[in-house]
């Protein structure tokens, strides 16, 4: 197995050069469990664990290897011992589920992300917008894959609706079940390219994976008839080698997908609204009831749906909330400001 077939390049070789001089080897993470990793190397597959020093020096869970990472390892032991992670070129990150404010990296070093959505009862434009924001933030290139075209009677209308919210993003409609138009994915599945499948449960990621592999590797289940919701069939993230020479990362369906850092990506995803806002009469226009609001004018004329503006505002609020939680000082300042406002209001009432 040659490293170039795993996505190795000159940039990675440059970062690895000092470790190579010390006799270390390199591998790429195919599966990441809590305490053990499965790696692809130029010698084939192997298992590995992180060293005690690595674990001690890690500042957060984000420092640990994830699927798609390139790791520096000692190969003379079994299992191999991981001593470092080479710098990532991209990483898809979400806010970890639960109450703690912590990032969770889903996969790293991705060239392309297939955002898979089903053309059935679970079709959701707002969800696609959210995935787009997070994909732009990852550093990878998004491609929207509309699966289950065999179940859709108004494909052109759905394609048009997605095109209106996915500015300049490739959009492909296909059927993984019947293999119709599946060849449209080929340009993104070239040797050494790394592609991740992301989408909610039931959109057909496992079926698509099996078709691209040419064999049934991932388990599949039927979705519920009433709402097309699926159950988790993929239980862990895994990087698979395709016959085309590309590397495909299949991921479990994500019911909870909260933003982590996405300020610039919000502007990228909603570039149509950002462009309209430049024509508003007031620079700090909130696009509500201000006179001369170009955004509200576009909504009134039917050029932009109100739901898109509502989605933008929701994601902005979510991002601001996460930022406040990430920055304790900002949180303290916010509390101090509200205390001052409350105090002022009480004094005014007393006066």
């Amino acid at each position: 197995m040659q490293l170039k077939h795993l996505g190795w390049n000159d940039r990675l070789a440059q970062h690895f050069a000092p470790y190579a001089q010390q006799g270390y080897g390199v591998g790429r993470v195919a599966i990441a469990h809590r305490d053990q990793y499965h790696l692809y190397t130029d010698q084939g597959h192997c298992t590995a664990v992180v060293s005690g020093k690595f674990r001690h020096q890690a500042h957060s869970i984000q420092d640990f290897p994830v699927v798609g990472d390139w790791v520096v390892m000692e190969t003379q032991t079994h299992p191999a011992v991981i001593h470092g992670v080479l710098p990532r070129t991209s990483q898809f990150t979400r806010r970890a589920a639960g109450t703690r404010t912590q990032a969770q990296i889903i996969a790293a070093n991705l060239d392309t992300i297939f955002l898979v959505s089903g053309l059935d009862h679970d079709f959701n434009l707002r969800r696609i917008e959210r995935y787009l924001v997070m994909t732009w933030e990852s550093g990878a290139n998004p491609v929207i894959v509309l699966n289950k075209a065999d179940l859709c009677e108004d494909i052109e209308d759905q394609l048009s609706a997605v095109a209106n919210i996915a500015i300049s993003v490739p959009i492909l409609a296909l059927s993984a079940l019947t293999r119709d138009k599946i060849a449209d994915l080929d340009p993104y599945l070239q040797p050494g390219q790394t592609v991740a499948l992301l989408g909610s449960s039931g959109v057909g990621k496992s079926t698509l994976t099996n078709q691209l592999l040419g064999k049934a590797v991932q388990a599949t289940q039927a979705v519920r008839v009433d709402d097309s919701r699926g159950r988790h069939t993929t239980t862990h993230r895994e990087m698979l080698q395709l016959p085309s020479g590309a590397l495909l990362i299949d991921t479990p369906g994500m019911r909870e997908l909260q933003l982590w850092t996405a300020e610039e990506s919000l502007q990228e995803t909603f570039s149509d609204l950002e462009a309209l806002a430049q024509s508003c009469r007031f620079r700090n226009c909130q696009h509500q009831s201000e006179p001369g609001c170009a955004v509200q004018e576009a909504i009134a004329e039917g050029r932009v749906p109100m739901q898109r503006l509502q989605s933008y505002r929701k994601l902005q609020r979510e991002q601001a909330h996460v930022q406040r939680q990430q920055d304790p000082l900002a949180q303290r300042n916010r509390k101090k400001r509200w205390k001052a406002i409350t105090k002022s209001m009480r004094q005014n009432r007393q006066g």
Side-chain angles (χ1 to χ4, degrees), residues 16 37 54 58 80 109 134 136 140 153 161 165 167 187 210 219 248 251 266 270 298 335 342 348:
F16 179 63
Y37 302 86
F54 182 103
N109 299 312
M134 300 179 75
W136 285 125
E153 297 180 355
I165 67 166
I167 315 301
N210 289 338
L248 182 72
T251 65
L266 271 170
F270 293 88
K335 289 182 178 179
T342 303
N348 290 336

Side-chain angles (χ1 to χ4, degrees), residues 223-284:
V223 299
R224 295 197 303 249
V225 175
D226 56 344
D227 59 4
S228 300
R229 292 293 180 92
R231 290 171 290 177
H232 293 296
T233 53
T234 301
T235 57
H236 60 271
R237 291 176 282 280
E238 181 175 2
M239 186 169 66
L240 303 161
Q241 292 179 292
L242 299 182
S244 69
L247 298 140
L248 182 72
I249 299 177
D250 191 10
T251 65
M254 289 181 280
R255 291 193 177 94
E256 187 172 348
L257 191 66
Q258 298 188 55
L259 303 184
W260 182 244
T261 56
E263 186 172 353
E264 292 184 5
S265 300
L266 271 170
Q267 298 173 359
E268 178 84 22
T269 304
F270 293 88
S271 58
D272 54 336
L273 298 183
E274 290 286 331
L276 284 170
Q278 298 300 314
S279 300
C280 290
R281 182 182 302 178
F282 303 108
R283 293 185 60 184
N284 62 343

